[in-house]
Amino acid sequence: MKKLENKVAVVTGGNSGIGLATAKVFAEEGAKVAITGRNKATIDEAVFEIGNASIGLVSDVSDINNIDRTYKTVKDTFGKIDVLVVNAGVFIAAPLADFTEEMFDQTSDINFKGVFFSIQKALPYLNDGSSIIITASTVAHKGFATTAAYSASKAAVRSLARTLSAELLDRNIRVNVLSPGPIDTPIFSRGGASEEEAHGTKTHFASGIPAKRLGTSEEMAAGFLYLASDDSKFMIGGELLLDGGAATL
Ligand code: NAD
C-alpha cells in the first residue's frame, strides 16, 4: 500500500529544489499533486517530471486573492485537499547595515505573510484530518550572520505551527514544521548571486555542518513524506530538524 494513496497534496514552491523533490515522492506514493510557483515554464517542466496527473499553477504566495483562486482550482480538479506543504520561500542575505526595506518586505511577504495566508485560505478546502507542513529552517535555531530577516521569518512560522495546531485541533488538522539545514538547491543562486557567489555561500555553510556536507532535496522529501502520512499522526505542532547536526552540535 502506498503511503499517500487517494490523497491530494498541494506543494507551494513545487517547481524547484526541495518542493519539487517532495512533489515527486508524493506522486510516487500515490498522491495527486498540485504544485505552485511563479514561473510558468519551470512549473510545466516540473509537472512533466512529477507525472501521475499532477497539475501546476502559477500562483504568487504574497498575493492573497491569487492564493484563494489557486485552491479553488485544486478543489475543482481533484475534489479536496489532504496535505498542504507550505514551502515557497526566498533567501535574501546581507549585513544588517545594508539590508534595504525592499529586501525586508520581500522576505516578510513571501516567508511569513505568504505562509500565514497560504494556510488561512486553504481552510475551506482542507479535509478534516489533513496534514499541513511548513518549511522553516535551522537558522531559526542558531545565529547565522547576515540572515536576520530571513531567520526571523522562519522563527515566525515555527511559532505559527504551534498556534495553528491548537486552533485546528477540533478539525483534527495537524500542523508541523520541517526545518532543513543548508540544502543544495538553486535558492543560493537566486536574487542576482553569481554561480561563484552561490558556490561560496554553500561552501561556507557546508563547513559549519557536523555532517560536513550539504543536505539533498531528496533527504528533505523523505521527511515531508513522513509528516504528510499517517506514520506521523501522533506528531502535532512539532518540528523535524533535518540538518546534519547543524543546529544542535
Ligand atoms: P528554491 O529556490 O529551489 O525553491 C523555492 C521555491 O519557492 C521555488 O519553487 C519558487 O518558485 C518558490 N517561490 C519563491 N517565491 C515565491 C512566491 N512569491 N510565490 C510562489 N512561489 C514562490 O529553494 P529551496 O531551497 O528548495 O527552498 C524551499 C524552502 O526551503 C524555502 O522556504 C526555503 O526558505 C527553505 N529552506 C531552504 C534551505 C536550503 O538550504 N536550500 C534551508 C532551509 C530552509
Side-chain angles (χ1 to χ4, degrees):
M1 175 78 174
K2 294 182 172 180
K3 288 187 186 293
L4 299 180
E5 202 74 64
N6 303 319
K7 302 278 186 192
V8 175
V10 175
V11 181
T12 72
N15 54 334
S16 178
I18 295 169
L20 175 55
T22 299
K24 280 199 226 169
V25 166
F26 282 8
E28 281 161 21
E29 287 294 337
K32 297 278 179 263
V33 183
I35 59 162
T36 73
R38 286 189 296 190
N39 182 306
K40 169 101 176 76
T42 55
I43 289 175
D44 289 346
E45 280 170 32
V47 163
F48 182 73
E49 268 187 63
I50 297 162
N52 200 32
S54 61
I55 60 168
L57 302 163
V58 176
S59 177
D60 187 327
V61 296
S62 60
D63 173 352
I64 296 173
N65 296 323
N66 189 4
I67 299 175
D68 195 42
R69 275 198 301 277
T70 303
Y71 292 135
K72 276 201 181 89
T73 308
V74 178
K75 172 92 175 172
D76 290 346
T77 310
F78 295 135
K80 58 172 186 164
I81 301 174
D82 305 288
V83 177
L84 174 62
V85 178
V86 195
N87 167 75
V90 286
F91 176 71
I92 303 172
L96 181 59
D98 301 334
F99 211 82
T100 63
E101 186 178 3
E102 192 190 346
M103 289 164 150
F104 184 92
D105 286 345
Q106 209 188 337
T107 302
S108 171
D109 283 354
I110 297 171
N111 292 4
F112 179 38
K113 181 181 156 195
V115 169
F116 184 94
F117 286 103
S118 289
I119 296 174
Q120 188 209 56
K121 295 290 176 187
L123 290 179
Y125 306 99
L126 281 168
N127 258 349
D128 286 5
S130 295
S131 172
I132 299 174
I133 311 145
I134 303 172
T135 312
S137 171
T138 46
V139 298
H141 291 258
K142 191 171 174 176
F144 284 94
T146 77
T147 70
Y150 178 80
S151 298
S153 72
K154 295 300 187 181
V157 299
R158 288 183 68 220
S159 166
L160 269 188
R162 293 188 288 267
T163 315
L164 297 181
S165 282
E167 199 162 323
L168 298 175
L169 261 187
D170 59 341
R171 289 186 55 190
N172 193 24
I173 294 177
R174 303 184 290 127
V175 189
N176 288 298
V177 169
L178 190 149
S179 279
I183 310 303
D184 195 358
T185 74
I187 203 166
F188 299 107
S189 40
R190 298 199 195 279
S194 66
E195 274 312 306
E196 203 181 337
E197 284 165 336
H199 181 72
T201 309
K202 288 198 249 182
T203 310
H204 168 70
F205 273 129
S207 67
I209 303 174
K212 294 289 172 229
R213 65 169 176 87
L214 299 177
T216 67
S217 294
E218 289 69 29
E219 286 170 320
M220 302 304 107
F224 281 107
L225 176 61
Y226 171 68
L227 294 174
S229 75
D230 284 347
D231 288 349
S232 62
K233 65 177 180 238
F234 198 54
M235 187 163 168
I236 300 174
E239 180 169 12
L240 192 57
L241 268 174
L242 294 178
D243 69 341
T248 34
L249 304 185

